[in-house]
Amino acid sequence: MAITYELIHTCKQTGARYGKVHTPHGSFETPMFMPVGTLATVKTMSPEELERMGAPIILSNTYHLWLRPGEDIVKEAGGLHKFMNWDGSILTDSGGFQVFSLSDLRQIEEEGVHFRNHISGEKLFLSPEKAMRIQNDLGADIMMAFDECPPYPAEHKYMKDSVERTSRWAERCLEAHQRPQDQGLFGIIQGGEYEDLRRQSAQDLTSMDFPGYAVGGLSVGEPKDVMNRVLDFTTPLLPNDKPRYLMGVGSPDSLIDGSMRGIDMFDCVLPTRIARNGTCMTSNGRLVVRNAKFARDFRPIDENCDCHTCRNYSRAYIRHLVKANETFGFRLTTYHNLYFLLKLMGQVREAIKEDRLGDFRDEFFEQYGFNKPNAKNF
Ligand SMILES: [Zn+2]
């Protein structure tokens, strides 16, 4: 089997899991955050920098690589690892989320989805079989089943039909997967905020015995307490001996809250996207480095951070670069934000091993400012 999971310790205080996921490109400890490299690059970071900051796995987007440069070119290069010179693990999504979030004029049928290319307007079609063929050509260690990710909120009736179709699509994905010996295919549990539908989706998918499971359809605009409540009743439905991946989640509070509910893997564009806007995550909350008050502030972004950016560059210098739209400024903020989340996950893993993740959450939330009224989500 391409992907296996080893559960090493369960936090006695919270039920969070410390474990390891083994892939054809190495093993990584969980819970883990995966930086997003949409177009076979984590924007502004070299693979060498990602390695240096301690990222063992990154995510890339099937939809985007299918359109540019085309999976045939990636395959010809020897697969995504060789194409982008990344020797760590890679996860590709199925393209489904982008089809549903980026494109207008989509039409869902049993066979698949018709939609328009968000760049050229050209008519395209994606199906479970096609999503598998493209992901087999890309050659990531972990691939995702093609699913429908309905918006929030969605009616129960709509969601039920969608969950049932997603289960049928998952079966077709398993059937179409050509490289199970070196690529692990994860199933995606849908069902929105409805407990009965999450249960149905989990039953359908776990009966197909995927090497890992994602909880999809969250972080699509629902309040945080809805996400936590859905995780509370969904993760217990998933097998203990397989990794669990919460898709599209990357704010520090949600990484901790998700880990507490038994999630092992996360991804999100948040740290890299806000970095390119000059916003940094720090141990004392978010810091908008563009602000005028940092013009003569020669301290690092985060005085408690030992990343390459914080060891060498000041707020004043980074503010100057970001204000002047200098690429190097965005590289420095991106490096720091990713390092911050990778380090946070390391702290989460240590707290799990020491059975004190609940205490860690309280301390972190207090210092970050999540407990303040009107606190931002990151
Ligand atoms: Zn730093």
Side-chain angles (χ1 to χ4, degrees), residues 318-351:
I318 296 168
R319 173 178 185 271
H320 154 68
L321 295 177
V322 165
K323 294 268 298 175
N325 259 326
E326 285 290 342
T327 310
F328 188 48
F330 305 122
R331 285 180 55 200
L332 292 173
T333 52
T334 300
Y335 192 100
H336 165 81
N337 277 355
L338 289 175
Y339 185 93
F340 180 81
L341 289 188
L342 291 167
K343 188 174 167 184
L344 171 64
M345 298 318 283
Q347 292 168 324
V348 165
R349 293 191 297 270
E350 284 309 305

Side-chain angles (χ1 to χ4, degrees), residues 9-22:
H9 184 79
T10 303
C11 175
K12 292 185 180 65
Q13 199 176 49
T14 61
R17 295 144 47 102
Y18 167 67
K20 272 185 190 165
V21 172
H22 305 286

Side-chain angles (χ1 to χ4, degrees), residues 301-302 305-307 309-310 336 339:
I301 295 283
D302 185 348
C305 181
D306 57 353
C307 84
T309 299
C310 293
H336 165 81
Y339 185 93

Side-chain angles (χ1 to χ4, degrees), residues 27 32 77 84 88 90 92 110 125 154 157 176 184 186 223 243 273 346 368:
S27 303
M32 177 56 71
M84 64 178 290
I90 304 178
T92 47
E110 186 62 27
F125 178 70
K157 166 78 177 100
F186 283 19
R273 181 173 287 167
Y368 203 92

Side-chain angles (χ1 to χ4, degrees), residues 75-122:
K75 187 183 183 184
E76 211 176 303
L80 202 45
H81 294 88
K82 282 221 170 69
F83 185 54
M84 64 178 290
N85 190 35
W86 171 252
D87 212 24
S89 304
I90 304 178
L91 182 151
T92 47
D93 64 2
S94 69
F97 183 78
Q98 282 75 26
V99 168
F100 290 103
S101 62
L102 285 182
S103 61
D104 300 326
L105 302 167
R106 59 184 176 265
Q107 191 190 341
I108 307 168
E109 291 169 2
E110 186 62 27
E111 187 55 26
V113 188
H114 295 273
F115 62 100
R116 284 184 190 277
N117 176 338
H118 76 288
I119 305 162
S120 68
E122 173 199 3

Side-chain angles (χ1 to χ4, degrees), residues 123-135:
K123 278 186 180 173
L124 293 168
F125 178 70
L126 201 54
S127 65
E129 289 76 15
K130 199 158 179 179
M132 291 302 104
R133 188 183 57 68
I134 298 169
Q135 289 189 83

